[in-house]
Amino acid sequence: MHISDGVLSPAVITAGWAITILLLLATLWWSKKNSDISEDIPKISVMTGAFFVASLIHVSIGPTSIHLVLNGLLGVVLGTLAYPAIFIGLVLQALLFQHGGITSIGINVINMGIPALIVYWIFKKGYSAGISPSILGTISGSMAALLSALMLAIVLISTGEEFTEVAYAAAAANVPIMIIEGILTGSVVTFLLKVRPELLPIKKEK
């Protein structure tokens, strides 16, 4: 999920940063409009820390590597604030541990952040429709990982034919991660609904 420097073309890098900046402004504006962001700072800090640590533990498989992403969990718990949280986590990973490139941060945030926003919307709508939160959490975790893997593959393929095999390998290697992320997110959602339901933004919107 973490594309390094020197892989993407200048046009893709520029587009990635432009879209990420726009989405950062939009998600922060929307979050501020609907809630007091200052009250969510502790929750954002904990979830960003979990994302930061999980993504650093990776296993090499052929030309790529896999690791937990947790963007589905961030989407469900943080809502629109998941995008800024993922941005902060990726910036810190790139600056402190060289995990992912500096120039490619924009694209990397898109690949992980947009799926987080999508599954948040799905979780919120599904919960309002009466679907089991545990099932929704499982679907959200798996879907976010799937969408991120697909977006990564698309970006690599669009960069050049020489990255086609790497793109396919990366997508295939993330299949077990999708399963793990689904189980993990479903379990965390079930736990939070029992002990701290206020941590889920969808509870506030009922």
Side-chain angles (χ1 to χ4, degrees):
M1 301 296 180
H2 294 71
I3 300 175
S4 302
D5 288 324
V7 174
L8 303 176
S9 66
V12 174
I13 291 173
T14 302
W17 274 105
I19 294 172
T20 282
I21 290 172
L22 289 175
L23 285 176
L24 281 173
L25 294 174
T27 52
L28 287 171
W29 172 81
W30 181 261
S31 298
K32 184 177 180 181
K33 176 183 176 183
N34 291 277
S35 65
D36 185 357
I37 295 180
S38 62
E39 295 182 355
D40 292 324
I41 290 178
K43 181 171 65 172
I44 296 171
S45 300
V46 170
M47 296 307 299
T48 302
F51 169 80
F52 176 82
V53 173
S55 296
L56 287 178
I57 304 172
H58 52 92
V59 179
S60 297
I61 298 181
T64 184
S65 63
I66 61 173
H67 56 77
L68 291 176
V69 183
L70 301 186
N71 57 336
L73 181 59
L74 263 67
V76 171
V77 175
L78 298 181
T80 51
L81 288 173
Y83 203 89
I86 290 172
F87 174 78
I88 293 171
L90 289 179
V91 169
L92 291 176
Q93 288 174 356
L95 293 178
L96 297 178
F97 299 101
Q98 292 75 54
H99 189 40
I102 300 295
T103 60
S104 57
I105 287 176
I107 284 293
N108 288 334
V109 177
I110 289 173
N111 289 345
M112 300 183 204
I114 289 181
L117 298 178
I118 292 174
V119 299
Y120 165 66
W121 182 84
I122 292 174
F123 186 92
K124 182 175 67 173
K125 294 299 181 182
Y127 186 85
S128 299
I131 300 176
S132 167
S134 298
I135 294 176
L136 282 171
T138 302
I139 293 174
S140 297
S142 296
M143 182 175 291
L146 171 62
L147 291 174
S148 291
L150 291 177
M151 292 177 69
L152 171 64
I154 291 172
V155 169
L156 291 175
I157 292 173
S158 65
T159 300
E161 293 184 1
E162 64 272 20
F163 293 104
T164 300
E165 291 187 6
V166 176
Y168 290 151
N174 276 281
V175 171
I177 294 298
M178 298 170 200
I179 298 173
I180 296 172
E181 294 259 358
I183 296 173
L184 178 61
T185 303
S187 300
V188 172
V189 167
T190 301
F191 176 75
L192 289 178
L193 283 171
K194 291 180 178 179
V195 300
R196 294 292 299 278
E198 67 274 13
L199 291 180
L200 297 172
I202 48 96
K203 296 296 289 184
K204 301 175 184 178
E205 297 173 8
K206 286 187 62 180

